[in-house]
Each structure stands twice: as C-alpha cells, then as structure tokens.
Amino acid sequence: MKCLFSINSWILLATLLLVSACSKQVGEPLNSGDNILAFGDSLTYGVGAGKGQDYPAQLAELTGLEVNNYGISGETTGQGLKRFAHVLAKTQPELVILLEGGNDILRGQNLEQTKQNLSQMIKIANQADVQVLLIGVPSKSLFLSDAALYGELAEEHSVIFIADLISDLLKQPQYKSDAIHLNSAGYQVLAKKIQDTLLDAGLISH
C-alpha cells in the first residue's frame, strides 16, 4: 500500500503540532510576553502610512505587546495560504489578526475560492490553538461595505470579527491615502479599534 501522506504533508503536520505545543488555548487572555501575528496584504504591510505608522506598529504601541507584521503588498489569499502555516510556526503567536482578500476582490477572482482560502487559514490557526481576529474587506460596489464572505466566515468559525471598519474608513478622505489604502491616521483608527475589540473580548486588559 502506498503512503497516503507526502513529505510536505508530514512537514505541515509536524509544524502544526509544534505550534500547538507552544500556543495558548483559545479564549485565554494575552500576557505581556505574548505576541500577535498581523497577517495579510498591503493594508497590513502599511501602504500609505508614514514610517512606523502601519497598524501593527501602532497596535504594539497601544497594547505593549509584540505585534509581528507579516503583510505582503499585492498578495492574494491563495498566496497567503501557501505561506500561512510556515509564518505561524516561525512566529508562534497567541493571536492572528487576519486582514486579507482585497486583492482577490479587486482582480475579480472567484470569491468562493477566496472564502475557502481564508477558511483554511482559520482552520490551520484553530488546529494550532491560536486565536483569530478576522477583519472584513470591502466588496466592489458603489456603496462600500464588507464582502458577505467575511461575516459568513466569522459565523462558521466563531472567530472575533471586526465588520465594515475598512469600508467606513475608506469613505472618509481624511483616513485614506488612495482609493484602497489608509493613511497614518486611518491605520491609527484601525489599531485603536482592534485594541478595543480585544479589550471587549477579554483578551487584553487596560
């Protein structure tokens, strides 16, 4: 009988077991020595912000926690999925902030596949006992609002969810650097909203 697992499959399994062994159980508050993984595309990387004004840097300043910025400008969810498990194992976070999918939407990619890619990332994090905070991304429409798939994912996986914030910020010129990116002030609002959401969820304290 042929082995059903490829070498890559075994590596992924070993990676997930390693992260699981080192991670906090879902629902536990974060401690001062814990770290957060900010994962996504240009909105995570900080396109449009001044130096050190991306939202992960501002969130780190607000919370006093280490926030690792693993945003790649222009990345799709398919590309993100390929690197997600490796980044998770490398950073060993207690929380992942997932903000991705805008490039899929802008390029007219199949949104069901986008949803599946994001769902797989959430599953990988869950299997490693890493908590997830999902942030919605606007759909391509005249009146900006989150693509429906984000709310569906939040409900299906019972993850913490920030809805319509990116959409609302992009409607206000004072918070954006161009049609699809925030400026330093916009990223500051995003970081503050994430902090407030984590406070409300009991994951951090004042």
Side-chain angles (χ1 to χ4, degrees), residues 11-21 85 88-89 124-125 127-128:
I11 291 173
L12 177 59
L13 178 60
T15 296
L16 293 175
L17 290 174
L18 174 63
V19 176
S20 179
L88 203 66
I124 290 170
Q127 288 165 359

Side-chain angles (χ1 to χ4, degrees), residues 84-136:
F84 186 75
H86 172 73
V87 172
L88 203 66
K90 179 180 179 180
T91 58
Q92 297 187 8
E94 280 65 44
L95 172 73
V96 173
I97 301 173
L98 185 57
L99 172 52
E100 191 157 58
N103 292 306
D104 298 51
I105 293 169
L106 288 171
R107 298 172 191 177
Q109 295 190 1
N110 185 299
L111 293 189
E112 184 56 38
Q113 185 61 57
T114 298
K115 182 180 178 182
Q116 291 178 21
N117 293 338
L118 290 168
S119 179
Q120 189 60 31
M121 289 185 231
I122 294 170
K123 288 177 182 177
I124 290 170
N126 287 342
Q127 288 165 359
D129 291 327
V130 177
Q131 304 177 82
V132 176
L133 188 160
L134 179 66
I135 301 177

Side-chain angles (χ1 to χ4, degrees), residues 64-87:
L65 296 170
E66 179 182 354
V67 184
N68 295 298
N69 188 334
Y70 274 80
I72 294 181
S73 184
E75 182 176 79
T76 64
T77 58
Q79 293 167 330
L81 178 57
K82 291 179 181 178
R83 69 183 178 103
F84 186 75
H86 172 73
V87 172

